[in-house]
C-alpha cells in the first residue's frame, strides 16, 4: 500500500497548542470525538460520509481499494481530527488565528490524500480565511469564524462516525 498521508509536510508549520485539555479530559474521563464549539449545537452529530464520498476515498490512488489500509488511514485521520479540531476551537476562543490556519492546512493535506473533498474544502476555507485575518488583509468576523469552523467540524464528524461504523462492521 501507499504511504500514510503526512500530517504536515512543511517544516515550521506546527502550531503551538492554544490551551490545555478541558478539566474532564485531564481528569481521565473520555472527551467527545470532536468537542462541540459554543453555539454549534445544531450540527448533526450522527452524520457520516455519503456512499459516494466513501467510495471515492476507498478508490483513491493512495488507498487503492485496500479495506484494511482504508480503515487504518481513517483511524489515523480521525485521531488527528480530534486533536486539531479541539485545538482550533481553543485557538478561536483565544484569537490565535495563525494556529487555526496552520491546523486547517494540516487537515486539508490529510483529507486530500484520501480524496475527502468535503473535509478538504472545509479545511481550505478555514485555512484561507484565517490566514487572511492573521495577516491583516481581512477583518475578524465572529459569525464567519463560527460558520467556517462549524462546517469543518461537521466534516470531521462525518469522517469520525464513518470510521467508527467501519470498525464496528469488522
Amino acid at each position: 500500500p501507499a504511504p500514510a498521508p503526512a500530517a504536515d509536510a512543511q517544516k515550521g508549520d506546527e502550531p503551538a497548542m492554544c490551551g490545555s485539555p478541558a478539566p474532564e479530559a485531564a481528569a481521565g474521563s473520555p472527551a467527545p470525538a470532536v468537542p462541540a464549539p459554543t453555539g454549534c449545537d445544531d450540527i448533526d452529530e450522527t452524520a457520516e460520509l455519503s456512499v459516494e464520498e466513501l467510495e471515492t476515498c476507498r478508490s483513491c490512488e493512495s488507498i487503492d481499494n485496500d479495506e484494511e489500509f482504508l480503515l487504518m488511514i481513517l483511524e489515523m485521520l480521525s485521531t488527528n481530527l480530534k486533536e486539531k479540531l479541539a485545538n482550533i476551537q481553543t485557538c478561536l476562543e483565544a484569537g490565535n488565528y495563525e494556529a487555526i490556519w496552520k491546523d486547517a492546512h494540516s487537515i486539508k493535506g490529510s483529507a486530500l490524500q484520501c480524496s475527502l473533498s468535503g473535509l478538504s474544502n472545509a479545511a481550505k476555507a478555514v485555512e484561507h480565511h484565517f490566514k487572511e485575518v492573521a495577516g491583516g488583509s481581512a477583518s475578524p468576523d465572529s459569525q464567519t469564524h463560527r460558520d467556517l469552523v462549524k462546517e469543518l467540524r461537521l466534516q470531521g464528524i462525518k469522517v469520525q462516525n464513518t470510521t467508527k461504523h467501519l470498525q464496528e462492521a469488522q
Side-chain angles (χ1 to χ4, degrees), residues 5-169:
D8 199 330
Q10 295 181 346
K11 190 174 184 173
D13 268 358
E14 199 59 37
M17 293 299 289
C18 288
S20 58
E24 306 84 56
S29 54
V34 177
T38 307
C40 289
D41 297 330
D42 59 339
I43 288 181
D44 180 3
E45 298 289 336
T46 64
E48 291 190 28
L49 295 172
S50 69
V51 172
E52 181 182 345
E53 289 171 311
L54 184 57
E55 286 306 312
T56 300
C57 179
R58 181 178 277 127
S59 63
C60 77
E61 187 177 332
S62 63
I63 296 174
D64 196 28
N65 292 303
D66 182 335
E67 289 298 314
E68 188 176 316
F69 190 61
L70 170 69
L71 184 56
M72 182 184 79
I73 292 297
L74 289 177
E75 287 170 344
M76 289 172 38
L77 180 57
S78 290
T79 299
N80 185 42
L81 282 169
K82 179 180 176 182
E83 294 167 6
K84 298 287 185 191
L85 291 172
N87 193 52
I88 285 172
Q89 182 59 36
T90 302
C91 291
L92 183 61
E93 292 165 4
N96 187 343
Y97 304 132
E98 183 175 355
I100 294 170
W101 76 255
K102 287 181 177 183
D103 276 342
H105 175 80
S106 175
I107 293 169
K108 179 184 75 175
S110 297
L112 285 170
Q113 276 295 125
C114 301
S115 298
L116 293 169
S117 61
L119 180 59
S120 65
N121 289 337
K124 180 180 179 180
V126 169
E127 175 189 3
H128 287 209
H129 173 74
F130 284 98
K131 194 173 201 177
E132 288 178 356
V133 172
S137 63
S139 298
D141 173 9
S142 60
Q143 185 61 50
T144 301
H145 296 348
R146 282 192 302 272
D147 291 346
L148 290 170
V149 170
K150 179 179 173 180
E151 180 60 24
L152 182 57
R153 184 171 169 265
L154 173 62
Q155 295 302 320
I157 287 169
K158 287 181 175 184
V159 170
Q160 291 182 316
N161 287 341
T162 299
T163 302
K164 184 178 177 182
H165 181 89
L166 291 172
Q167 289 169 327
E168 291 169 351

